[in-house]
Amino acid sequence: MGWEAVVAMGSVSRRIFPLSLLLFLLFDLLLNTVGGEAAKVPAIYVFGDSTADVGNNNYLPGNSPRANFPHNGIDFPFSRPTGRFSNGYNGVDFLAMHMGFRRSPPPFLSLTNKTKHQIMRGLKGVNFASGGSGIALESMGSTISMTKQIQNFAMIKSNITARIGTKTADYLLSRSIFLISTGGNDIFAYYSQINSPNNTGEELFVTTLVSKYGDHVKELYTLGARKFGVVDVPLIGCCPYPRSLNTTGGCIDMMNELALGFNNAVRALMQNLSWTLKGMKYSIGSSYALVLSVMKNPEALGYKEVKTACCGAGKFNARTGCTPNATYCSDRHHYLFWDMLHPTHRTSKLAGLAIYYGSQKFATPINFKQLVEDKV
Ligand SMILES: *[C@@H]1O[C@H](CO)[C@@H](O)[C@H](O)[C@H]1NC(C)=O
Ligand SMILES: *[C@@H]1O[C@H](CO)[C@@H](O)[C@H](O)[C@H]1NC(C)=O
Ligand SMILES: *[C@@H]1O[C@H](CO)[C@@H](O)[C@H](O)[C@H]1NC(C)=O
Ligand SMILES: *[C@@H]1O[C@H](CO)[C@@H](O)[C@H](O)[C@H]1NC(C)=O
Ligand SMILES: *[C@@H]1O[C@H](CO)[C@@H](O)[C@H](O)[C@H]1NC(C)=O
Ligand SMILES: *[C@@H]1O[C@H](CO)[C@@H](O)[C@H](O)[C@H]1NC(C)=O
């Protein structure tokens, strides 16, 4: 954006918006014109599990699920392990890039000190996601639960509000994207704990989980969120780890059934909520549909290996995580999975494209691009 545009925007802003917003917009334009393409939304706030974590768990004590060591990050700029469960970027990074950012906003736990600079960073977005967390897994001690992630957002919001005022903060939040990518760990936890699977039990589990999901969404709405970008649960029964549990090497069917049931219920939930919560907009991106497409048609999409993880050890490279002494593949762009549970950089890139620009098959009722461009 050229200097003329900055000036034009300033003169319009002075009449309509408070001074603090004008200052923010100028700051924003300065930052973004240096980085190239301007951001399309004021900020992105990210919630969820290891599919979205960009390093929060690095700061947690104890045995939290982590990826801040090689060979993770081998294809990240400077081959740096950041805490992402990927050889490079994850899906949130690509979605953020499509919205005009360099990558995901920084992890919440990296913003510990209340400097002006940090608050300005919070204004551009924060990633609260924590590997191992779930929708209803409140008792997992070594991860940041969804409830806690939302409390952390509330704190960031109050810091921002203190700095730029309630009106401006609410205005910016209502135009920001709230990304949520979670649910897989709840399904893993349920699967590992049931003794006698039956339809009634599964339906009750899904209903309870989705109701909890609705509570989180309503909480965020109350805090000022209006635009929700939801990523659904992938075909988790076909990840290398579940496959390694099946003697035939097939997918674990029940996990996929639960994922599908959950995803359908989330669609119904979000539609219901958009009818009752004034001004709420949403898009549901389908990592489930993306993984299914790749598995049905690997060669056409450039894949050679869709069962075995690139990095790990044992059956399907899925009996250990991607630790420093694990082996890893050299042709990583031909692999669907990076480790026992997570996609490669290439798969995340494909998912980002499908969810941002894709048809109804990959994003409903609108895609992320439409969500971003929709006027509130
Ligand atoms: C925050 O400030 C404290 C004390 O002022 C300092 O010890 C710590 O290293 C700082 N943390 C970060 C992430 O900058
Ligand atoms: C937000 O404000 C609280 C209370 O003033 C402070 O303890 C915290 O460090 C701040 N956090 C950030 C990320 O600025
Ligand atoms: C069905 O599953 C639920 C939850 O797992 C369990 O409590 C219940 O006993 C099961 N019912 C039957 C008939 O096995
Ligand atoms: C294991 O995979 C086979 C297909 O190879 C499938 O029929 C079977 O149901 C799977 N087992 C479980 C527990 O899902
Ligand atoms: C959506 O609303 C309908 C009608 O009020 C209700 O029957 C259904 O249970 C709701 N679904 C979800 C997932 O909230
Ligand atoms: C890697 O090393 C750890 C201990 O440092 C060990 O527990 C693990 O079994 C090793 N894994 C492999 C695949 O050799």
Side-chain angles (χ1 to χ4, degrees), residues 43-355:
I44 308 174
Y45 298 97
V46 184
F47 304 84
D49 57 25
S50 58
T51 58
D53 192 347
V54 292
N56 277 309
N57 282 16
N58 304 354
Y59 298 86
L60 298 181
N63 58 344
S64 66
R66 285 200 203 174
N68 57 340
F69 42 74
H71 310 290
N72 297 291
I74 188 168
D75 298 314
F76 197 83
F78 306 103
S79 291
R80 187 162 61 92
T82 57
R84 286 167 174 80
F85 294 80
S86 170
N87 54 312
Y89 289 118
N90 67 21
V92 169
D93 289 311
F94 286 109
L95 290 171
M97 286 178 212
H98 292 310
M99 295 177 208
F101 296 89
R102 192 156 68 105
R103 59 173 74 129
S104 163
F108 168 72
L109 290 179
S110 72
L111 307 177
T112 44
N113 290 338
K114 197 189 172 188
T115 65
K116 282 183 195 173
H117 175 65
Q118 297 294 41
I119 288 176
M120 285 328 244
R121 286 182 80 183
L123 258 177
K124 307 288 298 168
V126 180
N127 187 322
F128 301 93
S130 170
S133 70
I135 297 160
L137 300 173
E138 297 296 348
S139 61
M140 303 277 282
S142 53
T143 68
I144 312 168
S145 71
M146 199 64 188
T147 303
K148 183 67 184 164
Q149 290 179 32
I150 294 170
Q151 284 166 6
N152 289 340
F153 168 69
M155 190 192 79
I156 290 287
K157 183 194 170 178
S158 64
N159 290 19
I160 292 174
T161 303
R163 181 121 192 115
I164 65 174
T166 308
K167 268 198 164 164
T168 313
D170 286 347
Y171 173 83
L172 293 172
L173 291 180
S174 72
R175 278 153 181 77
S176 298
I177 297 289
F178 287 72
L179 271 178
I180 310 175
S181 180
T182 186
N185 289 323
D186 297 272
I187 294 176
F188 287 132
Y190 175 75
Y191 179 83
S192 63
Q193 137 232 297
I194 42 139
N195 320 313
S196 53
N198 61 71
N199 287 338
T200 319
E202 288 172 27
E203 276 163 29
L204 181 63
F205 164 72
V206 167
T207 309
T208 311
L209 196 58
V210 167
S211 152
K212 193 87 190 170
Y213 202 101
D215 293 343
H216 294 315
V217 171
K218 280 182 254 176
E219 189 92 25
L220 287 170
Y221 177 89
T222 304
L223 289 166
R226 292 296 177 271
K227 292 183 164 193
F228 293 88
V230 169
V231 177
D232 74 3
V233 174
L235 202 61
I236 49 173
C238 298
C239 289
Y241 177 66
R243 268 190 201 277
S244 77
L245 303 175
N246 189 336
T247 45
T248 70
C251 306
I252 299 286
D253 299 324
M254 188 183 156
M255 286 187 189
N256 288 342
E257 283 157 22
L258 288 168
L260 191 59
F262 170 77
N263 290 343
N264 288 335
V266 165
R267 278 169 182 70
L269 168 78
M270 294 304 281
Q271 189 170 53
N272 281 5
L273 290 178
S274 74
W275 289 332
T276 50
L277 304 179
K278 191 169 171 285
M280 180 200 147
K281 304 264 163 80
Y282 73 97
S283 168
I284 302 173
S286 187
S287 56
Y288 187 100
L290 190 277
V291 173
L292 189 60
S293 293
V294 172
M295 288 194 165
K296 278 186 173 166
N297 223 340
E299 294 84 10
L301 291 166
Y303 287 91
K304 288 184 180 153
E305 182 54 65
V306 297
K307 293 179 182 172
T308 298
C310 172
C311 184
K315 192 178 176 186
F316 293 116
N317 265 348
R319 305 313 307 227
T320 75
C322 181
T323 55
N325 58 1
T327 60
Y328 64 95
C329 64
S330 54
D331 52 342
R332 291 179 284 281
H333 55 291
H334 288 144
Y335 276 68
L336 171 50
F337 294 104
W338 164 242
D339 67 10
M340 53 157 79
L341 291 172
H342 304 100
T344 52
H345 171 94
R346 181 169 193 271
T347 306
S348 296
K349 184 175 189 173
L350 201 58
L353 282 169
I355 290 173

